[in-house]
Amino acid sequence: EAGVTQFPSHSVIEKGQTVTLRCDPISGHDNLYWYRRVMGKEIKFLLHFVKESKQDESGMPNNRFLAERTGGTYSTLKVQPAELEDSGVYFCASSQERGVGGYTFGSGTRLTVV
Amino acid sequence: AQSVTQLDSQVPVFEEAPVELRCNYSSSVSVYLFWYVQYPNQGLQLLLKYLSGSTLVKGINGFEAEFNKSQTSFHLRKPSVHISDTAEYFCAVSRPYGQNFVFGPGTRLSVLP
């Protein structure tokens, strides 16, 4: 079975530009999660989708971040406009069951804002 | 709210030596505990987890961890490390039946020949 796929694997953009990250979960996984690790800090939860609905978006840092999951399949995370402090690694995970026991993480997207 | 502390940001160790990576947590409620590993250019991989029952948990690749409720700790150990264990290790907690993790800052393990 294919794992959680994220792309691009790396992205370098200038401050003020827009970037869209994509996550393809494991087929059949209704739960999809975004996390990020800014430089030198902890990995932090951003939000959780159940199918196409946002179950919990308490970790979204501000309104420059927009996550979508149209049709309940893949998800995108758009940063507009990007700021220097948005640099870091963005992880996606999916699970079939609710709860943390069944997470599978993707390999992440490394975002660098210059 | 929960928080996780990993006091050692970097741990260098020689091949075949034992290693312990420390994790302490803070929570006002009971928690589930996890260790994840990230090898270079890869995603986060689950090493082991404690949900309930025996406080000594065995995971993949010869790792084990022991839950100590009185010390609020969940230290990760391996009796003999290999070069291939070089990676970053993350301790994480979640509420029982919770949907997301709180991670520690990570410990970078470097195994030297």
Side-chain angles (χ1 to χ4, degrees):
Chain A
E1 136 183 291
V4 177
T5 306
Q6 291 187 247
F7 50 94
S9 57
H10 294 84
S11 180
V12 181
I13 62 170
E14 293 184 351
K15 176 182 172 181
Q17 288 186 323
T18 297
V19 62
T20 300
L21 314 180
R22 174 167 168 152
C23 170
D24 284 43
I26 292 173
S27 178
H29 282 195
D30 288 339
N31 296 279
L32 187 148
Y33 309 82
W34 283 98
Y35 287 75
R36 76 169 180 175
R37 186 186 191 195
V38 295
M39 294 308 176
K41 300 276 184 74
E42 297 86 351
I43 301 169
K44 290 200 171 178
F45 168 77
L46 295 179
L47 87 159
H48 169 208
F49 282 99
V50 178
K51 296 185 180 178
E52 67 274 10
S53 300
K54 292 176 185 174
Q55 180 77 13
D56 180 357
E57 51 184 331
S58 60
M60 295 288 268
N62 52 61
N63 60 10
R64 295 186 294 103
F65 290 76
L66 175 64
E68 295 180 322
R69 193 182 181 195
T70 307
T73 54
Y74 70 90
S75 174
T76 57
L77 180 65
K78 180 189 290 187
V79 185
Q80 179 182 28
E83 299 289 346
L84 298 179
E85 64 265 24
D86 301 330
S87 295
V89 180
Y90 289 75
F91 292 102
C92 176
S94 71
S95 70
Q96 188 170 40
E97 62 203 49
R98 292 174 69 84
V100 296
Y103 267 50
T104 300
F105 279 92
S107 55
T109 294
R110 181 173 295 277
L111 174 65
T112 304
V113 183
V114 297
Chain B
Q2 296 91 40
S3 66
V4 179
T5 304
Q6 292 179 250
L7 288 176
D8 306 305
S9 59
Q10 297 190 61
V11 173
V13 62
F14 286 107
E15 193 174 17
E16 297 184 6
V19 70
E20 179 178 82
L21 306 183
R22 295 181 292 170
C23 172
N24 289 86
Y25 68 93
S26 173
S27 178
S28 56
V29 298
S30 61
V31 294
Y32 292 164
L33 294 150
F34 302 77
W35 276 98
Y36 276 87
V37 59
Q38 185 181 22
Y39 299 105
N41 301 315
Q42 295 187 30
L44 295 167
Q45 181 180 356
L46 180 66
L47 271 180
L48 49 79
K49 60 186 175 185
Y50 172 79
L51 305 183
S52 65
S54 173
T55 57
L56 182 63
V57 181
K58 293 190 183 297
I60 62 171
N61 301 340
F63 284 93
E64 63 179 33
E66 185 153 22
F67 169 55
N68 186 320
K69 188 174 183 179
S70 62
Q71 302 285 328
T72 60
S73 68
F74 191 55
H75 301 332
L76 181 70
R77 297 189 293 257
K78 186 169 182 178
S80 175
V81 294
H82 303 124
I83 297 287
S84 58
D85 293 322
T86 294
E88 192 157 17
Y89 292 78
F90 297 92
C91 183
V93 303
S94 80
R95 290 178 290 111
Y97 309 109
Q99 296 297 309
N100 55 275
F101 293 104
V102 173
F103 283 91
T107 296
R108 194 173 293 276
L109 175 66
S110 298
V111 181
L112 311 171

